[in-house]
Amino acid sequence: MKRIGCIVLALLLLLSGALLTSCGDNPDPNALLSNPTQTQEEARDKYAAYGFADVDLENRPYCLLTLSGYNDSNYFVVSDESGTVLGDVAFRRTQYVNDKYNCDLMYWEGNPEMLINECISGGTHDFDLVYPHPTSKIVNMMISGYFNNLLACDTLRLGEPWWNQSQVTNYSVNNKLYLAVSDYSITGQGFAAMLYNKALFESGNFDLELYETVKNGNWTMELLHTLVKEYGGDTNGDSEINEKDTFGLAFQGGYAGRFMYAMDQFIFDYSGEQITLALKQESINAIAQKLYTLLWESDQRVFVEACTNAGWPTSNLWKIFSEDRALFMTYDVGGMFPLLSSLEDKPGYLPIPKRDAAQADYLVICASGFLAIPACAESAENSGLVLDALSYVSYVDMRPAFFENILGGKMAEHPEDFEMLNFLHSKKVFDLGFTMDDGNYCRNLLQNLVVDGKNVNTSSYWRQNASFMNAVVSKLQSFPQ
């Protein structure tokens, strides 16, 4: 059995006390490592509260399948120490679960839809876990019976804090749950937020403390608009506003759907007995007007560019912000942390603003990090046994390592920055409608209407796309019985 460097992990866990919460009868993992002089074997006892089942899987390979090139899966199965914090924690996690259940965790990249279909058709059991890409064929796999119902898997402890409860609740339909998000995928759970340049904000002499404004519930679209239109402009004096100038906001084209959620508008309504379409023309019209005002009525202080995450390093958005020429920037903080770590002067972090001060809370949409058990798994119960154990160990070790050492260490300069990153993580929400909308008719509504179309003519959009939007809900009826 591999030995754990307990002092390093102890310090990480102690520093992350604010992030971890107690879980029923399971004591706080921090308390289990309160003594930094404990022996390495004693350090392993921090997992004892979980109550591992007395199961011997007889050295069977357990293979996790994911899409080729899906780099969010870098830390799932690690077979050797790498000298990096996350790599070494992932290695120890892999080794611990292998030893505890006498199994052999493996990893395979390919086309999940094709490979699972081949296994089901051929009656083989090549794959035991799946980490599907959140937008690549995922809807077809859910409605075609490619995944096991996780609610029927007794070895998964889905009510515990190592599983995201917003996601588990909102993705459960007719007593079926095909995807779940746990701390096993914590490094792949991007969350939408905003960055702000601290030096520029200070030089702007704004009579405002942003973090206090967020805490007081007063970080709103109106306030963001006020700040943005007061900063930047034709700073190079060539009488043109382009990527060479300075801006109040660098806005990622394709990001508008995140603003929709931040302003408390989901695609699905979960309040009744049946899930229905939450999008209503009146509410969308009000939200569209808020975004339109920010982007197109800010005296050309907003730079808009279409950009995928993969294109960020070479984008004008990143160039403008990293060269201190944007006060604010929209960003996928959780999913793009390596790029943020490279900044010499670390930014501040903020949620996307609320619609207005009357809105109950901030909402940070997340749509990635899903895990599933394929229908071709030899034993869904054993797959669940392994997955839940990996998720629990991740809750104890990987979550604090990621948030404290990476987000709080390389991405934040001051304790209040890390506190805000922690705050953003705590506000993450999931909407099954986001995943089911594979045609992008709902989640790209504001993008098509406001960002690309530069208008708020919601009635025209509704006439053209109502049937497609309603079809998103009807797909739920296609879930396997």
Side-chain angles (χ1 to χ4, degrees):
M1 189 177 288
K2 299 290 183 182
R3 296 166 68 84
I4 295 180
C6 67
I7 295 177
V8 174
L9 289 176
L11 290 173
L12 288 172
L13 285 166
L14 286 169
L15 287 169
S16 60
L19 181 65
L20 299 173
T21 57
S22 60
C23 48
D25 295 331
N26 293 326
D28 184 348
N30 299 311
L32 298 171
L33 278 182
S34 59
N35 180 8
T37 64
Q38 63 190 301
T39 67
Q40 292 172 326
E41 287 305 315
E42 286 173 338
R44 284 191 177 278
D45 291 341
K46 68 181 179 291
Y47 304 135
Y50 176 72
F52 286 92
D54 186 16
V55 173
D56 184 346
L57 297 177
E58 300 178 346
N59 201 34
R60 184 188 183 279
Y62 274 77
C63 188
L64 184 146
L65 169 66
T66 191
L67 186 69
S68 295
Y70 188 15
N71 59 7
D72 282 349
S73 53
N74 290 339
Y75 300 107
F76 277 124
V77 180
V78 179
S79 58
D80 202 357
E81 293 178 296
S82 64
T84 65
V85 172
L86 294 187
D88 288 352
V89 173
F91 166 71
R92 290 189 288 269
R93 174 181 62 189
T94 300
Q95 294 304 109
Y96 186 83
V97 175
N98 275 342
D99 292 344
K100 197 67 182 178
Y101 286 137
N102 189 24
C103 59
D104 182 18
L105 288 168
M106 302 177 66
Y107 180 77
W108 190 263
E109 288 188 339
N111 182 328
E113 182 190 36
M114 180 185 72
L115 292 173
I116 293 173
N117 180 57
E118 289 179 353
C119 288
I120 294 173
S121 300
T124 60
H125 309 290
D126 298 335
F127 306 107
D128 305 277
L129 299 169
V130 191
Y131 184 60
H133 190 279
T135 58
S136 180
K137 306 293 185 181
I138 196 168
V139 175
N140 185 59
M141 287 188 280
M142 282 196 289
I143 66 178
S144 298
Y146 286 16
F147 300 145
N148 273 289
N149 180 9
L150 301 180
L151 296 178
C153 185
D154 294 335
T155 50
L156 290 174
R157 309 180 194 185
L158 295 171
E160 297 291 357
W162 46 93
W163 296 95
N164 183 287
Q165 297 307 302
S166 166
Q167 188 276 325
V168 169
T169 298
N170 290 349
Y171 278 62
S172 297
V173 179
N174 299 328
N175 204 33
K176 300 181 185 69
L177 175 68
Y178 297 119
L179 304 169
V181 172
S182 80
D183 281 355
Y184 187 39
S185 63
I186 192 73
T187 60
Q189 296 172 30
F191 48 94
M194 297 189 69
L195 311 181
Y196 81 94
N197 187 305
K198 293 181 177 181
L200 294 185
F201 192 81
E202 184 175 349
S203 69
N205 295 316
F206 297 107
D207 186 21
L208 191 69
E209 170 49 56
L210 284 177
Y211 286 166
E212 286 303 315
T213 301
V214 171
K215 293 175 185 178
N216 293 337
N218 294 320
W219 179 235
T220 64
M221 288 291 287
E222 182 179 359
L223 177 56
L224 175 61
H225 177 237
T226 298
L227 297 173
V228 165
K229 69 180 181 180
E230 291 181 4
Y231 194 88
D234 181 23
T235 49
N236 66 357
D238 65 358
S239 301
E240 294 182 11
I241 301 294
N242 54 37
E243 71 279 1
K244 299 176 182 178
D245 291 305
T246 301
F247 298 90
L249 172 64
F251 182 90
Q252 180 190 8
Y255 212 83
R258 274 70 170 177
F259 274 72
M260 180 180 77
Y261 282 103
M263 288 187 271
D264 199 15
Q265 178 63 64
F266 283 58
I267 293 174
F268 281 175
D269 181 355
Y270 303 95
S271 61
E273 292 186 4
Q274 298 292 326
I275 293 177
T276 58
L277 189 69
L279 300 178
K280 300 294 186 290
Q281 188 172 336
E282 313 82 66
S283 60
I284 287 297
N285 185 66
I287 289 172
Q289 185 60 60
K290 292 278 187 181
L291 185 60
Y292 182 90
T293 299
L294 173 66
L295 297 184
W296 309 120
E297 295 181 355
S298 295
D299 300 327
Q300 293 185 284
R301 300 303 204 274
V302 179
F303 182 84
V304 179
E305 181 180 49
C307 175
T308 63
N309 279 2
W312 265 109
T314 58
S315 68
N316 284 315
L317 293 173
W318 182 250
K319 183 177 178 63
I320 289 169
F321 189 79
S322 62
E323 292 180 355
D324 298 327
R325 293 189 289 110
L327 188 61
F328 298 101
M329 181 171 71
T330 55
Y331 201 75
D332 179 3
V333 173
M336 294 293 290
F337 65 89
L339 201 56
L340 287 177
S341 300
S342 69
L343 287 175
E344 183 176 348
D345 296 320
K346 306 306 180 190
Y349 301 91
L350 301 165
I352 295 173
K354 298 191 294 184
R355 187 196 308 202
D356 51 46
Q359 184 176 314
D361 205 353
Y362 301 98
L363 297 168
V364 178
I365 185 64
C366 183
S368 58
F370 301 114
L371 295 152
I373 297 176
C376 62
E378 184 177 70
S379 166
E381 295 298 312
N382 285 345
S383 290
L385 189 77
V386 171
L387 177 56
D388 201 74
L390 290 165
S391 301
Y392 174 77
V393 175
S394 301
Y395 166 69
V396 175
D397 284 345
M398 179 60 84
R399 185 198 283 204
F402 179 56
F403 273 84
E404 192 65 53
N405 190 274
I406 303 301
L407 297 192
K410 294 183 178 180
M411 287 171 57
E413 288 181 313
H414 304 289
E416 59 266 27
D417 300 325
F418 173 64
E419 181 184 357
M420 186 54 63
L421 283 166
N422 188 20
F423 177 84
L424 292 171
H425 175 69
S426 74
K427 299 301 180 182
K428 283 197 305 189
V429 294
F430 287 78
D431 178 17
L432 177 58
F434 191 104
T435 298
M436 296 298 293
D437 183 24
D438 53 355
N440 297 326
Y441 295 103
C442 300
R443 65 182 180 223
N444 278 2
L445 189 156
L446 291 183
Q447 178 67 34
N448 296 332
L449 188 66
V450 179
V451 182
D452 298 335
K454 296 185 180 182
N455 70 75
V456 290
N457 189 357
T458 53
S459 58
S460 175
Y461 190 92
W462 237 260
R463 287 195 301 272
Q464 296 174 21
N465 298 288
S467 61
F468 299 110
M469 292 190 288
N470 284 303
V472 175
V473 179
S474 67
K475 289 177 185 176
L476 296 178
Q477 310 309 316
S478 302
F479 274 24
Q481 300 299 315

